[in-house]
Amino acid sequence: MHLSLDERKLFIECLDRIKNEIEHPVDNHTAEIVASHIQMLLDYLSRFYERQFITRRKVNSDVLTKFEKALKEYYADGHGKDGVPTVNYFAEIVNLTPGYFGDLVKKETGKTAQELISLRIIEFAKQQLTATDDDISIVAYDLGFQYPQHFSRMFKRVTGISPTQFRKQISIGYN
């Protein structure tokens, strides 16, 4: 997490209050006071965490640009044989933890990283289904799916129709 100097000072003050209370002789109020200091610390940390998505827009934009580029290049570079791309894979590329990366993508785009990955997979699948006569299972394997059913399920979830129905619509459109 990225903290300003003032935020660090506030964080340390909260820790000092907790430490002082713990070192204070125990009485009937100790547990409640420690819990309230911990709650205040957690509230501040939530504020700082959410704030960094606002104040670091340029950095976040750069991360999103790298993510989008890597997402577009995944299949073009032949990584389909490595399996379906994951959030962890792209988080590693942009040097962030998967959790932080996911939060950043969601705050910036309104979609989860997994949703964006699925949309790209389906975009690439549509290109394959349109440009080739390959069996649906071959397209699924080329996209990194171990099981064609998983590909078909994702395709239908994202597009509302099955890969076979998509291909039929395309062939009807060309006639």
Side-chain angles (χ1 to χ4, degrees):
M1 183 165 10
H2 304 278
L3 298 177
S4 70
L5 292 176
D6 288 341
E7 290 167 343
R8 284 180 194 188
K9 182 180 172 190
L10 197 54
F11 175 76
I12 290 168
E13 287 173 8
C14 286
L15 291 177
D16 286 343
R17 285 186 185 136
I18 294 167
K19 180 180 178 238
N20 289 338
E21 189 59 37
I22 290 172
E23 290 173 350
H24 187 273
V26 175
D27 59 30
N28 291 339
H29 303 282
T30 301
E32 186 177 331
I33 291 171
V34 169
S36 67
H37 286 313
I38 291 171
Q39 184 60 54
M40 181 180 295
L41 175 65
L42 293 173
D43 289 342
Y44 276 125
L45 290 174
S46 290
R47 171 190 273 175
F48 302 157
Y49 186 74
E50 290 177 21
R51 182 236 1 112
Q52 67 190 353
F53 293 114
I54 297 167
T55 60
R56 296 176 52 84
R57 288 256 186 239
K58 172 67 175 122
V59 173
N60 296 348
S61 176
D62 292 346
V63 168
L64 284 177
T65 300
K66 282 182 186 176
F67 170 49
E68 289 168 3
K69 182 178 184 226
L71 194 52
K72 288 177 182 173
E73 293 174 349
Y74 186 83
Y75 289 111
D77 292 347
H79 290 291
K81 65 184 177 325
D82 299 332
V84 176
T86 64
V87 172
N88 289 355
Y89 172 82
F90 293 109
E92 192 172 304
I93 286 175
V94 297
N95 296 315
L96 295 173
T97 64
Y100 184 82
F101 173 68
D103 288 347
L104 184 150
V105 170
K106 179 72 173 176
K107 291 274 187 192
E108 294 294 320
T109 68
K111 293 188 185 308
T112 67
Q114 187 58 57
E115 287 173 324
L116 292 175
I117 292 167
S118 295
L119 289 171
R120 179 63 183 137
I121 290 170
I122 297 309
E123 184 181 310
F124 196 79
K126 286 178 175 181
Q127 292 170 3
Q128 293 289 96
L129 292 168
T130 303
T132 71
D133 289 331
D134 291 344
D135 189 70
I136 303 297
S137 61
I138 300 298
V139 173
Y141 294 130
D142 286 348
L143 294 171
F145 288 87
Q146 281 189 300
Y147 305 103
Q149 310 89 295
H150 293 168
F151 163 68
S152 294
R153 208 172 302 131
M154 177 193 282
F155 193 96
K156 186 164 187 166
R157 181 175 39 85
V158 172
T159 66
I161 59 174
S162 72
T164 305
Q165 291 169 317
F166 174 79
R167 201 173 244 169
K168 283 180 186 173
Q169 285 182 354
I170 293 302
S171 66
I172 291 170
Y174 289 131
N175 292 333

